[in-house]
Amino acid sequence: MLDPVINFLNDIFWGYVLIYGLLAVGLFFTIRLGFIQFVNFGEMFRAVSGSRQGDSAGISPFQALTISLASRVGTGNLAGVAVALYLGGPGAIFWMWMVALVGMATAYSESTLAQLYKTKNEEGQYRGGPAFYIAKGLKAPWAGAIFSVCLIIAFGLVFNAVQANSIADAMQGAFGFEKIWVGVALASLTGIVIFGGIRQIARVAEIVVPFMAVLYLLVALYVVAIHIGEVPGMLGHIVQSAFGLDAAGGGLAGALLNGVKRGLFSNEAGMGSAPNIAAVATPDPHHPSSQGFVQALGVFIDTILICTATALMILLSGVMVDGGELTGTPLTQAAMTVHIGGAGQYFIAIAILFFAFTSIIGNYSYAENAMTFLKVGNMPGLTVLRLGVLAMVIWGAYESVATVFNAADASMGLMATVNLIAIVMLSGTVAKLTKDYRAQRKAGREPVFHAADYPELSGKIDQDIWNKHDPG
């Protein structure tokens, strides 16, 4: 009975509101913030490479980046890119790049706001995210509650079932493992990590995420190196196809639509997910904008580096011109088999295991912030959430999750819509913070947030958090 309603909502959200809304908001912030993702690109690396230590209440900027990458870099970077190529042709990759470049400005803005409006939970740990800046910045706690419930449903529960399903499929296909036992093993590993809370997730993510990303990119570089003579022509082919100039591509409409959709799904800029972990970080420099730069870099790594790596490995393999009907993970596996032989399907299966598992723990960390906002972030509440996550992992490993995935899409569509409206309404604050950060850098000082310079925020932000680090 609910299917028609869910499908209708998804048609509205993903057919119209978000496809155009996410792009429009990305362009809006790109222009309003003076093309920040290009002008201040170097600042992204500086903000990540600052202190590797969080204070007693937060995690380090590098840990925050790795947790957000854990969630961003999932099966979409492998299977999603293959689907975009299959449906939209090589030109879809160009539009994925464009979406990521404007999305970096959106990611900067939402994570800067998350830092600004963060608070502390019962244990004295930093928590925050869109629900907090919606409630405090816009004085709309009801909208923050809607956002939080949607986040828990989509990221905390259902998307973790989907990631588990991808892992189980890959493990069964490559190694013949029974799906149910894959689910049990995966739930056991997940439990070990998430029952340790966000700090344990941070410790795991800062080791696993760089390892998986670097290994994957090294294989991609090897593929590019052995096909180096074909790469310039392939890049030209991608650009030509993007504008419908290549008869073999998906045409302008097909390339644009599929590239935009897959790019948005992959990098999550504007969705309101990554700001939940951005708020947990202790920024270095101690200014809300610095964590915005960190999360903008996350979008760049996810799409410009990892998605491009997958696309080039597929396109350079030649498997798409053999008249086959492969798409998704099988297409990526077929391409890798061409490059490195029979080990290719095993490599992709292992990559999916790492990418999807880290997505599960990253998604959970977002849900924990939402629980704090809903005033159920205590031990009983978090225990229920954690057990729910483990149950969804086991269930998702062996069940088809299509209908539930559609419901999660609708939840994510609603939370993203609420978030986009909020960050546009708060864009004046983002612009002022950005101007302040740039001015301090230009003056040769390390940027520090001075709450006294923002009287309009009085009563809206936690003065104790910011004044403690304010030298005056």
Side-chain angles (χ1 to χ4, degrees):
M1 290 177 63
L2 288 175
D3 279 357
V5 176
I6 291 170
N7 290 336
F8 172 75
L9 289 173
N10 280 330
D11 285 344
I12 297 298
F13 284 136
W14 297 105
Y16 302 97
V17 177
L18 292 179
I19 293 297
Y20 301 109
L22 284 162
L23 279 175
V25 170
L27 287 168
F28 169 75
F29 278 109
T30 295
I31 294 168
R32 177 150 198 186
L33 302 178
F35 296 87
I36 191 167
Q37 64 270 57
F38 306 108
V39 174
N40 297 108
F41 185 70
E43 194 65 40
M44 299 176 193
F45 295 92
R46 194 183 322 191
V48 172
S49 62
S51 171
R52 283 298 189 93
Q53 302 297 319
D55 61 24
S56 60
I59 60 177
S60 72
F62 180 73
Q63 288 175 325
L65 174 66
T66 57
I67 293 177
S68 68
L69 280 174
S71 180
R72 291 187 210 273
V73 179
T75 53
N77 295 74
L78 297 169
V81 172
V83 170
L85 286 168
Y86 178 76
L87 296 176
I93 304 307
F94 175 86
W95 295 112
M96 288 183 76
W97 295 338
M98 295 302 104
V99 164
L101 291 175
V102 298
M104 288 168 71
T106 309
Y108 164 85
S109 302
E110 61 182 355
S111 290
T112 296
L113 288 169
Q115 262 293 314
L116 177 66
Y117 288 99
K118 69 184 177 184
T119 185
K120 289 185 177 181
N121 67 4
E122 294 176 357
E123 284 75 45
Q125 305 294 309
Y126 294 140
R127 294 292 183 268
F132 293 81
Y133 58 70
I134 290 167
K136 295 179 178 181
L138 298 178
K139 297 191 180 300
W142 59 271
I146 291 173
F147 178 92
S148 296
V149 171
C150 289
L151 177 68
I152 291 168
I153 292 172
F155 282 85
L157 299 172
V158 180
F159 289 166
N160 285 338
V162 176
Q163 298 290 349
N165 194 265
S166 298
I167 292 173
D169 279 345
M171 292 296 106
Q172 185 181 58
F175 304 105
F177 296 151
E178 288 288 336
K179 288 186 176 183
I180 182 64
W181 297 116
V182 173
V184 170
L186 187 59
S188 300
L189 284 173
T190 301
I192 291 170
V193 177
I194 68 174
F195 271 89
I198 288 181
R199 286 191 177 277
Q200 174 79 345
I201 293 170
R203 285 190 288 268
V204 172
E206 73 175 333
I207 296 171
V208 176
V209 172
F211 169 77
M212 73 177 191
V214 169
L215 179 61
Y216 192 73
L217 290 172
L218 284 174
V219 173
L221 285 173
Y222 164 74
V223 170
V224 168
I226 62 176
H227 294 277
I228 192 65
E230 302 170 50
V231 171
M234 187 59 69
L235 294 174
H237 180 45
I238 288 172
V239 175
Q240 282 188 319
S241 300
F243 296 95
L245 302 176
D246 188 336
L252 174 59
L256 177 61
L257 180 64
N258 287 287
V260 168
K261 273 189 176 180
R262 294 297 160 183
L264 295 173
F265 289 156
S266 177
N267 66 53
E268 298 180 15
M271 296 288 186
S273 50
N276 290 279
I277 204 63
V280 179
T282 302
D284 185 18
H286 202 81
H287 190 289
S289 288
S290 66
Q291 189 53 218
F293 286 119
V294 170
Q295 296 305 326
L297 180 62
V299 174
F300 179 85
I301 293 171
D302 171 85
T303 305
I304 305 297
L305 296 184
I306 297 178
C307 286
T308 301
T310 301
L312 286 175
M313 286 191 289
I314 292 172
L315 292 171
L316 291 169
S317 71
V319 294
M320 288 190 65
V321 296
D322 292 338
E325 289 298 311
L326 291 177
T327 186
T329 302
L331 176 57
T332 310
Q333 286 180 313
M336 190 58 69
T337 301
V338 169
H339 296 304
I340 62 175
Q345 66 170 329
Y346 302 115
F347 176 79
I348 294 300
I350 297 299
I352 286 175
L353 172 62
F354 275 108
F355 283 21
F357 173 70
T358 54
S359 285
I360 290 171
I361 62 174
N363 289 346
Y364 164 79
S365 72
Y366 298 163
E368 189 170 303
N369 276 274
M371 296 287 281
T372 299
F373 179 83
L374 295 172
K375 311 291 187 196
V376 288
N378 49 25
M379 190 51 65
L382 292 181
T383 300
V384 170
L385 173 65
R386 290 164 182 171
L387 292 175
V389 169
L390 301 186
M392 291 298 281
V393 165
I394 295 173
W395 177 77
Y398 70 91
E399 286 287 349
S400 171
V401 293
T403 299
V404 181
F405 187 59
N406 286 338
D409 267 352
S411 292
M412 184 167 68
L414 179 57
M415 65 176 259
T417 301
V418 171
N419 183 56
L420 289 176
I421 293 169
I423 62 176
V424 169
M425 292 179 71
L426 292 168
S427 61
T429 300
V430 179
K432 184 175 179 179
L433 286 165
T434 306
K435 183 179 179 181
D436 176 33
Y437 191 96
R438 284 170 163 165
Q440 292 188 59
R441 274 286 186 224
K442 190 173 182 180
R445 301 195 303 271
E446 178 156 301
V448 174
F449 176 76
H450 302 284
D453 294 338
Y454 297 79
E456 69 275 15
L457 297 176
S458 178
K460 294 182 178 181
I461 62 174
D462 190 323
Q463 298 285 345
D464 289 339
I465 289 175
W466 292 107
N467 286 341
K468 185 177 73 170
H469 299 273
D470 186 347

